[in-house]
Amino acid sequence: ETFPDLQEVVSNLIAQHMPDSENSGKDYHELNNDFFNRCYPRLRDHYPDEMALDLDELVNGVYPQFYKPYPVSAEYFLVNAQLSPNSDWGLYLVDTFDNFVPIDISEDSEYRYAIEPMPLKKRERPATIPDRINLHDQEATCYIQNVYRGPGLKGVPEGVVDSLRIFTYAYGYYRVGNHHHLGVESGWDVKRILGTVKVEKDGSAMFKIPANTTLSLQPLDKEGRALQLFRSWLVAMPGEELSCIGCHEAPDEPPVSAKTIASLKAPQRIAPRRERVEGFEFNAEIQPVLDAYCVRCHDGADAHKPDFKDTSIDNPQAASANYSKSYYAFHKYFRRPGPESSGTMLVPYEYHASSSEGVQMLQKGHHGVNLDPDSWERIYTWIDMNVPFYGSWSAAYSCNEGLTKWTAEISARAAEVRANYANVQSDWEYTPETSYPVKPSEEKGPEKSDPVDVTAENWPFDATVAQALQKNASDQERKTLDLGEGLRITMVRIPAGEFVMGSDGDTPQEQPRHTVRIAKSFWMSENEITNELYMTFNPDHNAGVFDQQWKDHVRLGYYSNYSKQPAVRVSWNDANAFCAWVAGKTSAKVLLPTESQWEWACRAGSDQDMAFGSRTVDFSPFANLADKSIEKYAVTGVNPTFNRNNAGNPILDFVPRIAEIDDKQFLVSGTKQYQPNAWGLYDMHGNVAEWTRSDYVAYPYRADASNSLDATTEKVVRGGSFRDRPFRATASYRLGYAPWQGVFNVGFRIVIED
């Protein structure tokens, strides 16, 4: 309002440095830096006086000046004021009519320089509230009326939450601790697990908890995987009865009026995870799993395979980055929020174990590995604890003589204070002396079957034939859906035909290869649905951020809400609702593609892993995949700034990638930035993975059985994303997610069936 043409200048700069063009080719990291590193200096040069204003100095030289006014009523204020440059500060009663009534400003008054005046009024002492705590009690009671109430588990169907994991913290002592001293992207504090309590079928739970102890709760599904990671904690006083309505409900949320199942039972006791409360140690919990199942192949002998056998400590004299080579090799396959990830409450399933590559690989079938239930519980718990290496501060500094002595002394003093003043008898530094043994499963997991000889009529075919078939399928190869207000979706004609679905080169879930016939031609959107389109349908959708790794950040992360970015964190249910919305606007039969339609359209006649060739070719002209540029995920400083000097540093190596190829994108900045396939479809490989209409069930695919539209069955996701290497983004590779689950790297495109 003060500088009316400033908005135009800003708009021009944004248009110049953060182009909206779908073919801009801008690196997402560069787009983020452009605005801060280029736009602001140019604004400052254009408006040197205005941009130099210091808001703290705007009142300099203006009188009278006021300090901390206290409202006595709507018209009167008690305030410390200086009426002129030469007058003293004093107390005044000031009204809204500019009257100043001095209050005892004599030189000998003890109130002369009072800076926070507050009027007092004599009143009767209220009745004493009976004490609700018992200082001799070491426990309290926690009652949750319905975990599904509130935004914490928004969209999660009732019945999915099976139990709550309860853990506490061992905070860093004075002169102890840092964000990378316990593990890579593992957080600032030691997490010590108490155990679990069951959640009733109506979402209620009541249980005993230790008093005077910081506790965090994680809702778990039936497999023991956290559905939500709350970066908050609670403390109960001794003997207190602590209650809440749901998960992070609003302050004005009304409580449940009826009795709950939990309220009719005695409070549960926490089922302990181990005999003693202890921090989660990689060498005690996870390394035994690797020894039992993995090191027979991952023993360091093959340089192309990660080494899970080498338990030697890298850099043993350091105060940080003091982890085993096995840990460095293993942790990068599992997603978790960094110590300075998004400061907003996460959406449910954001870091669910099902979105981790390591979990997906083992579940899909990895050379017959079949983890026993105890090993799965360890891996799920490790992920949900932010993949720590150390479970205590003493262990973290055990190789550093000076820190070892200091930590022992200060931890002992802290334990003494807790016992004396909080009646808490807990040993924060306890860790098991030996690892917990694993009893390997005697049954084998899924293994790839022998290849079968299967063919399809007039398939495969080259790009020339593909384009000829497309022309013969319709009078027009493309058409546009007009949604109004300038919003359009370009649709590409996909001809009918026959092909061999599946692969012998992926996992058991892509076998057996089998012939599938696409009986009718259909239309498919040439690119993934963008935020601009989806948010017109659902303005409240928040695509959130991609986690910015490492530390010293001033932003929530790498933003994923830009208009031309593909919409992510859209559930299968929401994608179907978008299809229904478009159908209502266009009178067309708009759907998600079936799994067979998607693979047929992606291949465009090719029988190779990728539409453009094998998975080993240079993908940079064709797809946004996990490449060299993904090392920019980790930044230092507040800009953020990618520090090339840190390249190759194992503590900054978070995501598996193909380091020899650079596709110029390390995240997602748009669509249609790479070459399309023979039928004119963009980003079928990489960028973001895509929902299909089909159920995640075993092959062979059958249209009548694979497309149930059952909203309780996992749905197939195809195509891989910017975070995936080529073998996870082939034309045949499949993943499955719950239909209510929004996934950080999953979007969708639509089809129209005649």
Side-chain angles (χ1 to χ4, degrees), residues 524 529 571-580 589-595 597-598 690-694 707 709 715-716 747-753:
M524 177 176 274
I529 298 302
S571 71
W572 183 86
N573 292 331
D574 290 337
N576 275 308
F578 176 86
C579 291
K589 186 179 180 181
V590 182
L591 303 162
L592 292 175
T594 66
E595 191 177 5
Q597 286 175 334
W598 192 97
E690 300 171 13
W691 287 111
T692 72
R693 201 186 318 166
S694 303
N707 304 313
L709 299 182
K715 304 303 177 183
V716 172
F748 68 103
R749 68 181 75 215
I750 63 174
V751 299
I752 295 176
E753 295 180 352

Side-chain angles (χ1 to χ4, degrees), residues 524-709:
M524 177 176 274
S525 57
E526 67 174 0
N527 59 279
E528 295 137 343
I529 298 302
T530 63
N531 282 323
E532 181 181 36
L533 288 165
Y534 186 77
M535 291 182 182
T536 303
F537 157 68
N538 180 8
D540 295 329
H541 177 67
N542 183 7
V545 297
F546 301 117
D547 191 14
Q548 187 178 97
Q549 296 173 326
W550 203 235
K551 71 179 292 286
D552 296 334
H553 307 155
V554 295
R555 285 182 251 174
L556 298 178
Y558 298 110
Y559 301 114
S560 50
N561 271 326
Y562 293 120
S563 63
K564 298 304 180 184
Q565 285 177 294
V568 293
R569 296 183 175 91
V570 176
S571 71
W572 183 86
N573 292 331
D574 290 337
N576 275 308
F578 176 86
C579 291
W581 176 75
V582 175
K585 283 183 166 292
T586 60
S587 300
K589 186 179 180 181
V590 182
L591 303 162
L592 292 175
T594 66
E595 191 177 5
S596 61
Q597 286 175 334
W598 192 97
E599 185 169 334
W600 166 251
C602 175
R603 290 185 177 278
S606 172
D607 63 349
Q608 300 292 301
D609 292 329
M610 324 293 276
F612 49 83
S614 76
R615 68 179 72 176
T616 60
V617 304
D618 182 357
F619 56 78
S620 59
F622 306 100
N624 180 10
L625 295 168
D627 64 323
K628 174 179 173 55
S629 63
I630 210 167
E631 66 188 0
K632 296 179 182 179
Y633 235 88
V635 299
T636 56
V638 300
N639 275 342
T641 301
F642 167 63
N643 188 345
R644 298 188 184 279
N645 295 328
N646 288 325
N649 184 347
I651 204 169
L652 293 173
D653 187 6
F654 305 110
V655 183
R657 59 186 181 274
I658 306 298
E660 298 77 23
I661 296 176
D662 189 352
D663 61 28
K664 309 303 181 185
Q665 298 282 344
F666 82 101
L667 288 170
V668 182
S669 59
T671 62
K672 299 171 62 176
Q673 296 177 317
Y674 298 88
Q675 296 180 25
N677 70 4
W679 282 335
L681 297 172
Y682 295 85
D683 301 314
M684 295 296 284
H685 301 286
N687 217 40
V688 297
E690 300 171 13
W691 287 111
T692 72
R693 201 186 318 166
S694 303
D695 301 336
Y696 189 50
V697 294
Y699 276 174
Y701 170 88
R702 297 203 326 265
D704 57 340
S706 299
N707 304 313
S708 69
L709 299 182

